[in-house]
């Protein structure tokens, strides 16, 4: 009832003033009061009337043109009152009044231009958010036998768009996940990220061998970039409780198991996509409750006062509780606290949890385990 009564005080079709309009009007009124007080305290005939021309400009910094015009009218009337009370209609006083009127017009025009630019920026940010959602679709909360959560942390407060990427798919060959980082920033990085993800979303369902996916993605990147552009990436496949990881110049995932944090470094280093990587797979058997953190290098580069964020040391405490979504939320909070809210690079995070085999259902044995299964 309290809110209903408050809202009822506004006439139909009227809305409360926006914060910007309130700030502009408030600043202008304060300046108008200060100039008026100085004029009254001085006592001489209309000495400071010309200063009232600054009032509409102050309002124009925050408010829309309608508010600027209203403030300008107030300033003009106030100036006219001071001139009239002084009883001396000198040419200088008339020029001051004309100056206030002209300043009001110029300030209103400036406020109009600023508002149009602000509206344009807002529309571009909205389109950027739509583009980001098209590139990075929501993943999880469950993909096959894995609980999955993804998070994109932008270093730019104005927009959540960049070149970091991730995707999780439940394919006939198991759950397949990619995380990657495009060299560079801006729209070119977003374009290349969309190419990589578009190719991955196709070939992940078509290729039985995860190494073949790497070859396909490498060709897609090579066709789309210059000689110095590339994409680091890590591809993960879970099938029948077996985890396979191939790494193309990307930070090694972290395996969280029974309070320990284990970096899953590749058997041999491989260059990023775009440089024809020859990858070697790392294979791990998963245990129920295992969690795996995939991340881009923005996390490894986050630092304050030259000290890097201790990801491996704090991973279990931050990521080992609650749901995978809770874990990523804790990590993001700790990260922002560490860098005082100032990140130098975007960060993509994916956290997985293996729940164990699905009720004993028959699962195809991966090709790399065929020999072991028969022994």
């Amino acid at each position: 009832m309290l809110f209903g009564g408050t809202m009822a005080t506004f006439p139909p079709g009227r809305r409360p003033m926006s914060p910007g309009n309130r700030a502009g009007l408030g600043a202008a009124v304060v300046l108008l009061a200060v100039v008026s007080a100085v004029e009254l305290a001085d006592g001489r005939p209309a000495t400071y009337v010309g200063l009232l021309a600054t009032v509409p400009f102050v309002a124009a910094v925050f408010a829309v043109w309608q508010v600027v015009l209203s403030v300008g009218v107030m300033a003009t009337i106030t100036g006219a009152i001071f001139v009239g009370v002084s009883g001396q209609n000198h040419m200088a006083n008339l020029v001051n009044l004309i100056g206030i009127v002209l300043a009001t017009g110029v300030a209103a025009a400036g406020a109009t231009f600023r508002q149009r630019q602000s509206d344009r920026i807002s529309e571009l940010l909205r389109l950027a958010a739509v583009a980001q959602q098209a590139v990075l679709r929501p993943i999880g909360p469950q993909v096959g036998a894995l609980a999955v959560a993804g998070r994109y942390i932008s270093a730019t407060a104005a927009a959540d768009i960049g070149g970091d990427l991730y995707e999780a798919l439940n394919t006939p060959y198991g759950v397949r996940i990619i995380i990657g980082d495009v060299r560079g920033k801006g729209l070119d990085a977003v374009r290349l990220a969309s190419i990589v993800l578009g190719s991955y979303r196709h070939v992940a369902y078509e290729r039985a061998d995860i190494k073949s996916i790497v070859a396909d993605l490498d060709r897609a990147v090579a066709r789309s970039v210059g000689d110095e552009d590339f994409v680091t990436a890590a591809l993960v496949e879970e099938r029948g409780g077996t985890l396979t990881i191939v790494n193309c110049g990307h930070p090694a995932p972290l395996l969280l198991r029974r309070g320990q944090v284990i970096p899953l470094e590749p058997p041999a280093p491989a260059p990023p996509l775009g440089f024809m990587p020859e990858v070697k797979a790392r294979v791990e058997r998963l245990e129920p409750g295992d969690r795996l953190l995939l991340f881009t290098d923005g996390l490894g580069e986050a630092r304050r006062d030259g000290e890097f964020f201790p990801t491996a040391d704090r991973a279990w405490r931050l990521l080992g509780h609650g749901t995978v979504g809770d874990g990523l939320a804790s990590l993001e909070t700790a990260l922002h606290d560490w860098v005082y809210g100032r990140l130098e690079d975007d960060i993509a995070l994916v956290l997985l949890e293996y729940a164990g085999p699905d009720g004993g259902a028959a699962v195809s044995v991966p090709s790399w385990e065929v020999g072991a299964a028969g022994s």
Side-chain angles (χ1 to χ4, degrees):
M1 293 301 295
L2 176 61
F3 293 112
T6 303
M7 294 303 294
T9 60
F10 295 100
R14 299 288 298 277
R15 295 181 179 179
M17 293 183 68
S18 68
N21 287 338
R22 289 198 300 269
L25 179 60
V29 169
V30 169
L31 181 59
L32 181 62
V34 169
V35 174
S36 299
V38 171
E39 186 67 63
L40 290 172
D42 186 70
R44 286 182 288 181
T47 306
Y48 301 103
V49 168
L51 293 178
L52 294 175
T54 61
V55 172
F57 285 109
V58 170
V61 174
F62 305 101
V64 296
W65 66 269
Q66 294 94 331
V67 174
V68 175
L69 283 181
S70 300
V71 168
V73 170
M74 292 170 55
T76 303
I77 293 174
T78 303
I81 291 174
F82 279 119
V83 171
V85 170
S86 71
Q88 297 182 0
N89 296 326
H90 295 156
M91 180 61 66
N93 290 332
L94 295 178
V95 169
N96 284 336
L97 291 178
I98 293 173
I100 297 173
V101 174
L102 293 176
T104 299
V106 173
T112 301
F113 177 78
R114 177 188 54 76
Q115 186 62 41
R116 288 178 179 174
Q117 291 296 102
S118 178
D119 292 342
R120 178 177 173 80
I121 292 173
S122 298
E123 179 65 14
L124 290 175
L125 292 178
R126 187 186 68 82
L127 293 175
V130 172
Q132 181 76 353
Q133 293 171 5
V135 173
L136 290 182
R137 303 183 303 199
I139 61 174
Q142 191 74 28
V143 184
L146 300 177
V148 183
R151 212 171 189 91
Y152 193 101
I153 307 173
S154 176
T156 305
D160 292 333
I161 192 165
D164 291 17
L165 58 97
Y166 54 76
E167 181 62 288
L169 303 171
N170 192 9
T171 75
Y173 309 104
V175 177
R176 287 176 165 176
I177 299 163
I178 185 174
I179 189 166
D181 188 359
V182 176
R183 178 183 181 273
K185 297 180 181 295
L187 292 179
D188 287 339
V190 175
R191 179 185 62 84
L192 184 52
S194 66
I195 291 173
V196 173
L197 284 174
S199 300
Y200 176 75
R201 287 164 182 160
H202 173 70
V203 299
Y205 289 96
E206 302 296 329
R207 301 288 185 259
D209 184 5
I210 195 171
K211 295 181 182 179
S212 300
I213 298 177
V214 172
D216 290 333
L217 296 181
D218 178 69
R219 287 191 291 269
V221 171
R223 287 193 298 265
S224 306
V225 300
D227 294 337
E228 297 182 357
D229 295 323
F230 56 84
V231 180
T232 68
L235 283 77
V236 175
E237 178 184 281
E238 183 278 324
R239 182 162 36 158
T242 297
L243 187 72
T244 303
I245 303 172
V246 292
N247 196 317
C248 305
H250 199 77
L254 299 179
L255 176 64
L256 285 70
R257 172 179 292 168
R258 298 192 299 273
Q260 295 183 327
V261 179
I262 308 167
L264 299 183
E265 298 288 350
L273 298 174
F275 293 133
M276 297 183 291
E278 292 289 337
V279 295
K280 292 185 178 181
R282 174 162 182 165
V283 180
E284 297 283 339
R285 288 296 297 178
L286 291 174
E287 300 177 4
D290 281 354
R291 290 190 173 188
L292 186 71
L293 176 65
L294 309 175
F295 56 93
T296 54
D297 61 4
L299 179 60
E301 295 172 357
R303 59 186 179 271
R304 67 178 182 194
D305 303 327
E307 186 177 0
F308 291 96
F309 181 74
T311 303
D313 293 339
R314 301 182 63 180
W316 179 259
R317 284 179 292 167
L318 295 172
L319 301 171
H321 67 91
T323 66
V324 287
D326 295 335
L328 288 187
S330 296
L331 177 58
E332 181 177 3
T333 300
L335 183 63
H336 277 293
D337 290 344
W338 183 269
V339 299
Y340 307 121
R342 297 188 297 272
L343 290 170
E344 297 181 1
D345 194 8
D346 294 354
I347 301 173
L349 303 169
V350 177
L351 184 62
L352 323 171
E353 181 176 3
Y354 177 63
D358 186 12
V363 182
S364 59
V365 178
S367 59
W368 55 83
E369 288 200 317
V370 170
S375 59

